[in-house]
Each structure stands twice: as C-alpha cells, then as structure tokens.
Amino acid sequence: MSLLHEARDLAPALTELRHALHREPELGLDLPLTQAKILAALDGLGLEIRTGTALSSVTAVLRGGRPGPAVLLRGDMDALPVQEDTGLPYASVVDGRMHACGHDLHVTGLVGAARLLAARREELAGDVVLMFQPGEEGQGGARIMIGEGVLDAAGERVVAAYALHVISTGAPTGFAATRPGPMLAASDAVEVTVRGRGGHGSSPHSAADPVPAMCAMVTALQTAVTREIDVFDPAVVTVGRIEAGTAANVIPETARFAATVRTFSDASRARVRAAFERTVHGVAAAHGVSAEVDYVEQYPPTVNDADQAAFALETARQVLGEGRVFEAPKPMAGAEDFSFVLRKVPGAFVGLGACPPGTDPATAPMNHSAQAVYDDDALPYAAALLAGLALRRLGTPLTPPEAGSSPAPLKTGTPPEAGSSPAPLRTGTPPEPGTSAVATPVPSPQE
C-alpha cells in the first residue's frame, strides 16, 4: 500500500486534530494548549520527546530500526492576530486569533507523518527529528529552537531538513511545488523618524518641515530600488505606514514611516540596506532636517539546496503522483523562519495546495486573510509527503500510488471501512511547567 493510501486511512483522526487546533489558536512563542494537543497526539508512538525552555516547542525523535543519519521534518504551530470570518463550524473560539496561515494543517500533517513513520520504524536506516515549532509569525521560533539544540536532537547533526507550507490559493488541494535556490524572500522591517522644527502652517519658511522630506524619502526609495538593484536579483520596498501632524495648519516637529523590505539573496539584502539608509539621510540633509533609521533584519531568504529541491520534487512525484507536482518558476516574496534551518543544513521547503473544492484557486482568499479556508483533504497529502521525504532520504524505497488513483479527491467525511479506522488522536491538556520529556523512548539500535 502506498503512503498516500495509508495516510487517507488516517484522515478522520487527522481532521479531528486539525479542527481542535483551529478552534483554539495561540500566538507567538507560548502555546501551551497547542503543545498539549501535540503531546497527546504523539503519545504511544514510542518517540523520544522533549519540550522547549524558552518557547512551547516539541521535539520528538523517532529512532529507526537500523543505524544511519538523522533527518528533520518541521511543522510550525502558531496562529495570527486575525479575527476569523469564515463561518466554519470549527472556527476559532478565541476573539482576534485565527489559524489564517494554515499552521494547524502543518502540525497535523507532521503528526500524521509521525504515525506513518512509526509504522515503518524497522525499515528506517537512521532517525527522524520531528520539529514542532512556535513563533514562526515574526518571533523567529526556528532560530530559538536551533539554539536549544533541535538540529542535534538525535545525537548528531541532521543531514537534511524538510518543511512544507499549505497555500489557500493558487493551486488545488494536493498539488506540490518547490524549486532550487531562493524559494522565499528575506524580510526586514524599517522604522524611520524624520525630525524637523515645528511651526505655523502659514509660515513654512520659519520652520523645518519634516513632512515633505518624508514624502520625498518614500518616492526616492522606489527610485533607488529600480536604479541600484539587479533586475535578476530583485528587491521590494513597501512603505505601509506614514504618520505626521495633528492639524492642517500646524507643521509638526516629527514625521514617521514604516516599511518592509524583501530580497532574495544576501548580496541584494546588503545592497538594499545601504541604499535605504543612504537615501533617507541624503534626502534629510537636502531638506534641512535629520532622520533616524531603525533597520531590523528579521528572516533571511529561504534558499533550497539544489540537490535537495530535486530530491523533494522526485519524492513528491512518487508520493502524490506525477501530475500533481511541478517546479515553481520563481520564488515568492513571502518570508519564513525555516530559512534559519536551511542556513545550517541542506534541505527544501515545499508548497502544497489546500484550496477547497468548488473554490477557484485564482480568486480564493490568500493566506493571512480573515476569510482564508484550507481544505481538510490536504492533510493526508501533507502527512504522506513529509513521511516520504524522510523515508527516501534514509534509503527506504516508496510504493507509488496506483495509476490514476492519486488525483482523486479525498472525501474526509466518508467513513472508513469497518475495522480500518485508526485509534483516535487525543488532544490532551497543557503539560506541567518545566516538563522536559514525555513519551516512551525506543532503545536505539546501538543499545
């Protein structure tokens, strides 16, 4: 039986877990309810588990039946500060919070992969590290987990790392894509404060007006990008917030704006930062005002190893079917903190379609939208793909789906055949503070 068919047998239990996660979204680095649901869902699989110290992470190691290297699979856990507007029966019950980016599917897909891999433990020539990570949405949880040793959790540095991200628009459910090289952009945040000298609006010559200086900075930054950045190594500078003044006839002392900067290489990132700071200070000097630039480098670009991207594409073809996999023609300007992992070890980041049936992928609400809806039928695809990446990387051949069967949509509402339903996943309660290990470890082959 193929991984995808086995994953489909898990669909009811995975859907139940995903809905439980979706109802109770949590933000940032402290996710005790989410952590508890993950620990309960992994219980009984014979994993070596530890929880984080600086964040509510879960690191689980599945020991293979034979010696070999270790690989890492990651699923991010946190939600967004968005008021859900989907009307789903399992919609968020927490005001102002929503799994608008699909991380509830990532967690559930990784739990499903753990189940599939545990059933094949004796086939594995090596170990699998399962990285359940909080704080992807801006807090850099991956970097914190790296600092707490996730890459060495199996006793040695993992030789490869893989993650996937569901997409609510652009591709039907179960279609996967990745590419060699840059997959996502670096993300930097900039706050600029322009300081002048306030005065009466009728007498601008008696003041030093920061407002026109700020406006000139915004337009000059766009020109700097087009004149200084290689068109084949692009950059995006978007000013999303401008603040100045209290009344129409008052020249304020200060004006402020905030921008996001997206780049796809370290070289372009450094060049844009230098151009940004030089442009702002130069325009300020020309207008007789001063400027302070707070430039925060957040996430580096997510860059797939070329060999691992090719490996991921071939694995996806074997797991999902040839007609469901394609190489992405270009990167996307979103950002991801899995980039910190890929800076340490070779690996690949894969996009997976999760647009519900009956919805046009070209017009469906995007990730982060209050109306974003993700198809439960994507869960078996996610579980099977993650498990397949680990299995193949550790030398286990895969059984491809039957010809013509892989494109058929999964109907999670259809009951499985009698006797085939997997044991229900428990959603659990929060662990005691300071808990560092949960589960029944499996002895390693060396013991």
Side-chain angles (χ1 to χ4, degrees):
M1 183 182 293
S2 72
L3 275 174
L4 185 56
H5 283 81
E6 289 187 43
R8 285 174 168 174
D9 288 339
L10 295 174
L14 295 179
T15 299
E16 181 182 354
L17 174 60
R18 187 251 163 157
H19 289 186
L21 292 164
H22 194 90
R23 288 189 190 97
E24 296 184 297
E26 297 177 291
L27 306 179
L29 300 173
D30 186 21
L31 286 65
L33 298 177
T34 305
Q35 183 188 59
K37 291 180 177 69
I38 293 168
L39 292 172
L42 297 177
D43 188 36
L45 295 183
L47 309 176
E48 298 173 13
I49 297 180
R50 71 167 184 259
T51 55
T53 300
L55 71 177
S56 300
S57 62
V58 176
T59 300
V61 179
L62 189 153
R63 299 290 182 185
R66 294 178 287 144
V71 299
L72 181 144
L73 305 175
R74 180 270 220 160
D76 40 353
M77 301 158 57
D78 55 323
L80 285 161
V82 172
Q83 182 64 45
E84 183 161 357
D85 184 26
T86 62
L88 293 169
Y90 54 90
S92 171
V93 298
V94 184
D95 286 343
R97 297 181 182 182
M98 176 190 174
H99 270 295
C101 202
H103 294 186
D104 50 336
L105 284 85
H106 302 169
V107 169
T108 307
L110 189 52
V111 168
R115 285 198 151 196
L116 294 170
L117 291 168
R120 290 171 163 79
R121 177 178 280 110
E122 296 308 314
E123 302 174 29
L124 291 173
D127 306 322
V128 182
V129 177
L130 307 171
M131 176 183 177
F132 293 91
Q133 179 218 308
E136 189 281 323
E137 296 290 354
Q139 295 78 28
R143 181 164 49 185
I144 298 172
M145 288 191 72
I146 291 171
E148 293 193 353
V150 68
L151 301 183
D152 303 299
E156 59 181 322
R157 179 58 55 97
V158 296
V159 297
Y162 307 100
L164 60 77
H165 204 301
V166 294
I167 307 169
S168 65
T169 185
T173 294
F175 282 72
T178 191
R179 68 188 307 276
M183 182 70 178
L184 294 168
S187 175
D188 299 329
V190 193
E191 297 267 353
V192 177
T193 301
V194 185
R195 300 191 184 278
R197 187 173 66 255
H200 198 287
S202 65
S203 304
H205 62 282
S206 299
D209 194 344
V211 175
M214 176 180 64
C215 294
M217 290 172 189
V218 172
T219 55
L221 286 169
Q222 304 307 313
T223 301
V225 169
T226 64
R227 297 299 91 188
E228 296 192 39
I229 304 303
D230 185 347
V231 67
F232 295 107
D233 189 8
V236 176
V237 175
T238 295
V239 175
R241 189 180 81 242
I242 291 178
E243 301 172 355
T246 57
N249 63 344
V250 176
I251 294 174
E253 291 190 0
T254 60
R256 296 180 176 85
F257 69 91
T260 184
V261 178
R262 306 298 171 108
T263 50
F264 296 93
S265 71
D266 290 343
S268 180
R269 192 183 198 188
R271 192 175 180 92
V272 170
R273 177 170 185 167
F276 195 111
E277 293 175 339
R278 185 183 68 251
T279 298
V280 166
H281 290 303
V283 172
H287 282 257
V289 298
S290 64
E292 300 166 5
V293 181
D294 182 15
Y295 201 110
V296 179
E297 294 188 350
Q298 295 177 317
Y299 293 171
T302 302
V303 181
N304 287 337
D305 177 85
D307 291 340
Q308 293 303 318
F311 171 84
L313 285 168
E314 178 55 30
T315 301
R317 293 185 186 101
Q318 293 188 28
V319 173
L320 308 180
E322 180 71 33
R324 287 182 168 267
V325 181
F326 61 95
E327 182 175 319
K330 59 185 179 181
M332 296 182 291
E336 243 285 350
D337 75 343
F338 191 65
S339 54
F340 292 114
V341 174
L342 294 181
R343 291 208 151 197
K344 300 289 186 180
V345 296
F349 188 81
V350 182
L352 180 69
C355 185
T359 303
D360 184 356
T363 59
M366 292 182 65
N367 292 41
H368 286 221
S369 167
Q371 293 84 37
V373 175
Y374 300 87
D375 190 2
D376 287 331
D377 290 354
L379 296 172
Y381 291 108
L385 180 54
L386 287 169
L389 288 164
L391 285 164
R392 280 196 74 224
R393 187 62 182 79
L394 296 178
T396 301
L398 303 181
T399 301
E402 296 178 7
S405 66
S406 61
L410 171 70
K411 302 300 181 185
T412 55
T414 303
E417 295 179 6
S420 66
S421 179
L425 296 173
R426 295 187 291 277
T427 54
T429 56
E432 293 293 327
T435 300
S436 61
V438 179
T440 304
V442 174
S444 70
Q446 293 77 21
E447 293 180 348

